[in-house]
Amino acid sequence: MSTDFTDYHLLLRNAVVESRQNYEDLSTALEQIADDDERTEGEISATLGALAEETEGAFSAEGYTTMVEGQHGDSLTEAPSEFDKHLAPETETRGEGVAL
């Protein structure tokens, strides 16, 4: 029984030691993931901001105005678009696609 007990004791001790090491490594990995996530979020925000500015510039050159967060558009009929004229040049239409 002594050898079985010693084998079992070593197995249990190794499992506890390895579990402790795994938890320590997990802690380090979670901290790294959190740091990477914050960095990635910042990079994504910066990229989206740059693209938004670029898009805003392109559309404002065409006569569109940028809406701020929480603002609602008044009407699609006010959008400066030549699209409807290309669809039906002889018929005046509104932005909703309704012929007048």
Side-chain angles (χ1 to χ4, degrees):
M1 184 164 170
S2 170
T3 37
D4 289 338
F5 178 79
T6 303
D7 290 341
Y8 179 72
H9 172 73
L10 290 175
L11 177 68
L12 189 60
R13 185 185 71 74
N14 290 342
V16 169
V17 169
E18 289 174 10
S19 294
R20 181 187 55 83
Q21 290 171 344
N22 287 337
Y23 279 119
E24 288 175 1
D25 292 342
L26 177 63
S27 172
T28 303
L30 289 175
E31 288 174 8
Q32 184 64 43
I33 289 170
D35 291 344
D36 289 346
D37 187 46
E38 286 178 9
R39 182 178 26 229
T40 302
E41 185 177 343
E43 291 170 0
I44 290 171
S45 295
T47 302
L48 286 177
L51 290 173
E53 288 177 12
E54 180 182 328
T55 304
E56 181 180 345
F59 284 122
S60 65
E62 294 180 17
Y64 290 94
T65 57
T66 304
M67 293 173 50
V68 295
E69 187 173 343
Q71 178 183 358
H72 298 285
D74 296 329
S75 171
L76 292 176
T77 59
E78 296 175 14
S81 174
E82 298 293 316
F83 182 71
D84 291 332
K85 291 179 184 176
H86 294 294
L87 286 176
E90 69 282 347
T91 307
E92 184 182 342
T93 60
R94 295 180 181 221
E96 291 87 357
V98 178
L100 296 176

